[in-house]
Coordinates of all heavy atoms in Angstrom, one line a residue:
Chain F
K4 N -37.1 11.3 -44.2 CA -37.5 10.2 -44.9 C -37.3 10.3 -46.4 O -37.4 11.4 -47.0 CB -39.1 10.0 -44.6 CG -39.4 9.7 -43.2 CD -39.0 8.3 -42.8 CE -39.3 8.0 -41.3 NZ -38.6 6.8 -40.8
N17 N -49.5 20.5 -57.3 CA -50.8 21.0 -56.7 C -50.5 21.9 -55.6 O -51.2 22.8 -55.2 CB -51.8 20.0 -56.4 CG -51.2 18.9 -55.4 OD1 -50.0 18.9 -55.2 ND2 -52.0 18.2 -54.8
P39 N -19.2 30.9 -50.6 CA -18.6 29.6 -50.4 C -17.3 29.5 -49.6 O -16.9 28.6 -49.1 CB -18.4 29.1 -51.8 CG -19.3 29.9 -52.7 CD -19.4 31.2 -52.1
E56 N -2.6 29.8 -29.8 CA -2.9 29.8 -28.4 C -2.3 28.5 -27.7 O -1.9 28.6 -26.5 CB -4.4 29.8 -28.1 CG -5.0 31.2 -28.5 CD -4.5 32.3 -27.6 OE1 -4.5 32.2 -26.4 OE2 -4.0 33.3 -28.2
L72 N -4.4 36.7 -36.6 CA -4.9 36.3 -37.9 C -6.1 35.5 -37.7 O -7.1 35.7 -38.4 CB -3.8 35.6 -38.7 CG -3.9 35.6 -40.2 CD1 -3.8 37.1 -40.7 CD2 -2.8 34.8 -40.8
T81 N -17.5 35.8 -39.9 CA -18.9 35.8 -39.3 C -19.6 37.1 -39.6 O -20.8 37.1 -40.0 CB -18.7 35.6 -37.8 OG1 -17.9 34.5 -37.5 CG2 -20.1 35.4 -37.2
V86 N -23.8 40.1 -42.9 CA -24.2 41.1 -43.8 C -24.7 40.5 -45.1 O -25.8 40.9 -45.6 CB -22.9 42.0 -44.2 CG1 -23.2 42.9 -45.3 CG2 -22.5 42.8 -42.9
D133 N -9.5 38.8 -9.4 CA -9.5 39.1 -7.9 C -10.4 38.1 -7.2 O -10.5 38.2 -5.9 CB -10.1 40.5 -7.7 CG -9.3 41.6 -8.5 OD1 -8.1 41.4 -8.6 OD2 -9.8 42.6 -8.9
T147 N -14.1 26.3 -19.6 CA -13.4 25.5 -20.5 C -14.3 24.5 -21.2 O -14.3 24.3 -22.4 CB -12.2 24.7 -19.8 OG1 -11.4 25.7 -19.1 CG2 -11.4 24.0 -20.7
R180 N -34.3 22.0 -47.0 CA -34.5 20.8 -46.1 C -33.2 19.9 -46.2 O -32.8 19.3 -45.2 CB -35.6 20.0 -46.6 CG -37.0 20.5 -46.2 CD -38.0 19.5 -46.6 NE -39.3 19.9 -46.1 CZ -40.4 19.1 -46.1 NH1 -40.3 17.9 -46.6 NH2 -41.5 19.5 -45.6
G207 N -13.6 9.7 -15.1 CA -12.2 9.8 -14.7 C -12.1 10.6 -13.3 O -11.3 10.2 -12.5
K212 N -12.9 2.3 -9.5 CA -12.2 1.1 -10.0 C -12.3 -0.1 -9.1 O -12.5 0.0 -7.9 CB -10.7 1.5 -10.3 CG -9.9 1.8 -9.0 CD -8.4 2.1 -9.4 CE -7.7 2.5 -8.1 NZ -6.3 2.9 -8.4
A262 N -2.3 10.7 -1.4 CA -2.8 12.1 -1.3 C -4.3 12.1 -0.9 O -4.7 13.1 -0.2 CB -2.6 12.8 -2.7
V292 N 12.9 9.5 -10.8 CA 13.4 9.7 -9.5 C 12.4 10.4 -8.7 O 11.6 11.3 -9.1 CB 14.7 10.7 -9.5 CG1 15.1 11.0 -8.1 CG2 15.8 10.0 -10.3
L320 N 7.7 -1.0 -3.9 CA 7.7 0.4 -3.9 C 7.3 1.0 -2.5 O 7.9 1.9 -2.0 CB 6.7 1.0 -4.9 CG 6.6 2.5 -5.0 CD1 7.9 3.2 -5.4 CD2 5.5 2.9 -6.0
R336 N 18.5 6.5 13.9 CA 18.7 6.1 15.2 C 19.6 4.8 15.2 O 19.8 4.2 14.2 CB 17.4 5.8 15.9 CG 16.6 7.0 16.2 CD 15.2 6.7 16.6 NE 14.3 6.2 15.5 CZ 13.1 5.9 15.7 NH1 12.5 6.0 16.9 NH2 12.4 5.5 14.6
V338 N 20.6 1.1 16.8 CA 20.2 0.0 17.6 C 21.5 -0.9 17.7 O 22.3 -1.1 16.8 CB 19.0 -0.9 16.8 CG1 19.5 -1.3 15.5 CG2 18.7 -2.1 17.6
G370 N 15.5 -0.8 7.2 CA 14.4 -0.2 6.5 C 13.6 0.7 7.4 O 12.8 1.6 6.9
K376 N 24.5 -1.6 15.1 CA 26.0 -1.7 15.6 C 26.0 -2.9 16.6 O 25.0 -3.3 17.2 CB 26.4 -0.4 16.3 CG 26.6 0.8 15.4 CD 27.0 2.0 16.1 CE 27.1 3.2 15.2 NZ 27.4 4.4 16.0
E417 N 17.0 1.2 33.6 CA 16.6 2.2 34.6 C 16.5 3.6 34.2 O 15.7 4.4 34.6 CB 17.5 2.1 35.8 CG 17.1 0.9 36.8 CD 18.1 0.7 37.9 OE1 18.9 1.6 38.1 OE2 18.1 -0.4 38.4
A479 N -0.2 -1.9 22.0 CA 0.3 -1.2 20.8 C 1.4 -1.9 20.1 O 1.6 -1.7 18.8 CB 0.8 0.2 21.2
T547 N 6.7 -1.9 30.6 CA 7.1 -0.5 30.7 C 7.3 -0.2 32.2 O 6.6 -0.8 33.1 CB 6.0 0.4 30.2 OG1 4.8 0.1 30.8 CG2 5.8 0.3 28.7
L639 N -10.9 -26.1 -34.5 CA -11.9 -25.1 -34.9 C -12.2 -25.0 -36.4 O -13.3 -25.0 -36.9 CB -11.5 -23.7 -34.4 CG -12.5 -22.6 -34.4 CD1 -13.7 -22.9 -33.5 CD2 -11.9 -21.3 -34.1
A658 N -32.6 -26.9 -52.9 CA -32.7 -26.4 -54.2 C -33.2 -27.5 -55.2 O -34.1 -27.2 -56.1 CB -31.3 -25.9 -54.7

Side-chain angles (χ1 to χ4, degrees):
Chain F
K4 296 286 180 194
N17 59 345
E56 291 296 308
L72 204 60
T81 308
V86 173
D133 303 325
T147 305
R180 282 187 174 192
K212 65 179 177 186
V292 173
L320 180 61
R336 290 171 288 182
V338 57
K376 293 182 182 173
E417 277 174 15
T547 53
L639 193 65

